[in-house]
Amino acid sequence: MSSILSHSIDEYIKMVTSFHGYPAPGVLIGGFMVDLAYTKLPKDGLYEVICETAKCLPDAIQLLTPCSTGNQRLKVIDTGRYAFTLYEKRSGEGVRVYLDWTLLDEWPEIKGWFLKLTPKEAQDEGVLIREIKEAGSDICGMEKVQVKLDSLNKRKKSSISICPSCNEAYRTSDGALCPACKGSVLPYGRMSKTPSKRHKSA
Ligand code: ZN
């Protein structure tokens, strides 16, 4: 049986379970996708990733590459397609790997899961995981990509202001109020704040 970068499949399933909460089919397939992308690129590159879905795939990338949302080397641009592009940070040269539904006829359980043809309660998780292990990266398509680096609009460095409305620090470049106070970007309203020193004595 194949492996995922330096990990055996079973090792990788354990990593996924610990990080993601359970061995989600999408994260397992994502492991093979990352493995495939790495085999096509020079070993000495400095890589970043654009992931096209917010679901499952970012966790495979964060488990197997140095790219995370926190270090900003992983960007999610959610097109809803099960795909990511791994590219060299300075040259923009990279590969896009995607789950190719046209290759799924051999793998009925994966096809039913991926295209949501099989209702959740009718899915056989054991068969699904077995098919995923057997298929490996055979169900993936790949294409060369040249990333337009200037279009990634890296956030400009900004000084910090204190918002006159919420009294929290934010980027001055965002305007006279922080984005939260300016508009309804957050799904909750103003909180009644307790200064942190009082939390400690409570
Ligand atoms: Zn504010």
Side-chain angles (χ1 to χ4, degrees):
M1 190 170 286
S2 52
S3 57
I4 292 177
L5 299 179
S6 59
H7 312 282
S8 72
I9 308 297
D10 290 332
E11 232 168 57
Y12 179 63
I13 289 178
K14 275 189 202 140
M15 289 158 66
V16 172
T17 306
S18 151
F19 186 69
H20 187 81
Y22 68 104
V27 192
L28 300 185
I29 293 171
F32 289 107
M33 293 168 74
V34 171
D35 182 80
L36 178 65
Y38 265 111
T39 61
K40 299 296 168 193
L41 293 165
K43 295 273 171 287
D44 54 352
L46 187 62
Y47 293 105
E48 298 199 339
V49 179
I50 296 168
C51 185
E52 295 190 37
T53 176
K55 206 175 168 188
C56 287
L57 197 48
D59 282 358
I61 294 159
Q62 295 187 108
L63 276 169
L64 295 168
T65 79
C67 307
S68 74
T69 53
N71 67 21
Q72 299 191 293
R73 289 173 64 186
L74 165 60
K75 286 193 179 59
V76 176
I77 300 177
D78 193 353
T79 66
R81 300 191 296 183
Y82 212 74
F84 66 82
T85 293
L86 183 72
Y87 65 95
E88 218 285 328
K89 184 188 160 89
R90 292 152 299 195
S91 69
E93 283 169 33
V95 291
R96 177 175 183 271
V97 178
Y98 58 99
L99 181 46
D100 187 346
W101 70 272
T102 67
L103 301 174
L104 292 180
D105 283 341
E106 255 183 89
W107 312 101
E109 202 66 29
I110 301 178
K111 185 174 185 175
W113 162 80
F114 182 56
L115 299 178
K116 294 202 164 117
L117 304 171
T118 314
K120 189 110 183 146
E121 58 278 9
Q123 273 177 20
D124 187 328
E125 202 196 335
V127 176
L128 179 56
I129 289 185
R130 200 179 65 221
E131 282 190 7
I132 290 169
K133 284 175 159 183
E134 281 175 24
S137 61
D138 289 357
I139 55 176
C140 300
M142 195 167 53
E143 56 194 322
K144 280 195 170 172
V145 166
Q146 176 66 51
V147 175
K148 292 177 194 143
L149 298 170
D150 50 357
S151 73
L152 281 174
N153 56 38
K154 301 245 186 243
R155 205 179 262 287
K156 291 188 187 77
K157 290 208 163 58
S158 171
S159 58
I160 299 296
S161 293
I162 303 303
C163 175
S165 172
C166 65
N167 203 35
E168 292 189 33
Y170 73 105
R171 286 180 299 262
T172 309
S173 59
D174 281 330
L177 292 173
C178 82
C181 292
K182 224 188 303 183
S184 49
V185 291
L186 291 175
Y188 48 80
R190 291 288 302 269
M191 301 153 287
S192 60
K193 285 184 178 168
T194 313
S196 54
K197 272 185 188 167
R198 269 189 250 161
H199 285 298
K200 282 179 195 157
S201 58

